[in-house]
Amino acid sequence: MRVLLVGLVVSLAAGFASDAQAKRIYEGQEAAALRCSNTLALTAVTLSRAGLITDVEKEVMLGITIRILDRHVDGTWQQKKRALEVMRDRRNIPDTLDDYRKNAARCLRQFPIN
């Protein structure tokens, strides 16, 4: 499971392909799930780099991100990765961390992973 999770996380964090087939527009609930996923992932990486959470805690948060994407966002993994890249590029770190403080609990209620 850990190898699979790490592989998916590496896949998400790796260079995102920009071919035309990967393009898709997300709206509504799927866009909200993407924003929640982006918020959780960027917060996990930021807190880990600052030494505020352990690698295990970071992996758990990234695993939640993957589950939200898997369960609440349609499309191929390529499309989802591209959408996350767009979301990441639209948001700066302070705004994303503020989103986390304000919305993380709501995100987890709105997009259950179990």
Side-chain angles (χ1 to χ4, degrees), residues 48-96:
S48 177
R49 286 181 181 162
L52 298 172
I53 63 173
T54 66
D55 285 342
V56 171
E57 291 167 314
K58 178 183 78 172
E59 287 181 25
V60 168
M61 289 177 71
L62 293 173
I64 291 168
T65 296
I66 291 167
R67 288 191 144 214
I68 289 172
L69 291 171
D70 185 48
R71 293 174 184 236
H72 300 283
V73 180
D74 287 335
T76 66
W77 277 106
Q78 192 69 15
Q79 291 167 326
K80 295 174 192 185
K81 289 187 278 187
R82 176 69 183 128
L84 276 180
E85 179 185 46
V86 169
M87 181 70 64
R88 181 200 68 212
D89 291 347
R90 287 182 181 168
R91 308 281 301 158
N92 63 37
I93 291 174
D95 288 344
T96 301

